[in-house]
Amino acid sequence: YGQLNWDGDYALISGQSNKGIKFRTNASGLALTLDTSQNATFAGTVDILGEALTITSANDEKPLIHIKDTTNSANGGELKFTSDRGQAPVDADDIGRITFIGEDAGQNATTYAQILGEIHETAEGDEAGRITMNVANDGVLRPGLKLEALKGTSAQVDVTIGNGAGSVTTTAGDLTVTGGITVTGDSSVFTSA
């Protein structure tokens, strides 16, 4: 049997040492199960009403987040970002972003890279999106790769690689071009082995 104790300002719910704790919403359903290994299982949707969810792990052998589809379909797990402003969206609104933060030489938190999803065109029937992969350069996030749907043109997606006149794009392997090639630089050098 479990017990409920008070420890100062906190309520402590304790179970037997070899048993977990189960929370029921009715006679047949379990809402939350905590097992003896400190694993939690939620039966329904989990809503985080605060501003952030922080997941901390001391195990570098496992992913911190594992998204799994068990429906026996051809689909895998899905990470979904939804923007719901409560008003009409506008072009260049952020839909979601994944930010990669590490420490610099002074052990200050520094953003090194970011994947950004944006609305490129919101017009009814002409919706278009943009994904930008930004990388830090001189401490500033700059676009390194941009995938952008050309609004008003069906099935066309433009790709921009690099940022700045000195950006270099290297292709290891064959490069196949099905359209035209436009060169705007000062010179072009073609070398054949």
Side-chain angles (χ1 to χ4, degrees), residues 100-116:
F100 301 89
I101 299 174
E103 292 182 342
D104 63 10
Q107 294 186 316
N108 301 303
T110 301
T111 301
Y112 284 95
Q114 184 181 81
I115 301 172
L116 174 64

Side-chain angles (χ1 to χ4, degrees), residues 38-166:
Q38 299 180 350
N39 296 318
T41 303
F42 296 90
T45 300
V46 177
D47 291 322
I48 306 299
L49 302 179
E51 295 186 11
L53 169 65
T54 300
I55 300 173
T56 304
S57 174
N59 187 345
D60 61 359
E61 299 297 325
K62 294 182 180 180
L64 293 182
I65 298 175
H66 182 183
I67 300 172
K68 182 178 181 180
D69 182 359
T70 60
T71 60
N72 196 25
S73 68
N75 299 319
E78 178 181 5
L79 177 63
K80 184 182 290 187
F81 295 87
T82 303
S83 176
D84 186 2
R85 298 175 53 189
Q87 59 187 15
V90 297
D91 297 354
D93 270 2
D94 289 1
I95 298 173
R97 63 182 66 200
I98 301 173
T99 304
F100 301 89
I101 299 174
E103 292 182 342
D104 63 10
Q107 294 186 316
N108 301 303
T110 301
T111 301
Y112 284 95
Q114 184 181 81
I115 301 172
L116 174 64
E118 294 177 285
I119 294 174
H120 182 47
E121 174 62 48
T122 60
E124 184 82 22
D126 195 26
E127 294 87 353
R130 175 189 301 130
I131 294 177
T132 305
M133 296 186 182
N134 298 303
V135 292
N137 180 266
D138 295 331
V140 177
L141 283 177
R142 303 182 193 282
L145 175 65
K146 184 184 295 184
L147 307 174
E148 183 175 80
L150 187 62
K151 47 190 174 183
T153 305
S154 179
Q156 182 171 335
V157 176
D158 293 342
V159 179
T160 303
I161 302 174
N163 181 76

Side-chain angles (χ1 to χ4, degrees), residues 177-183:
V177 179
T178 56
I181 297 178
T182 302
V183 179

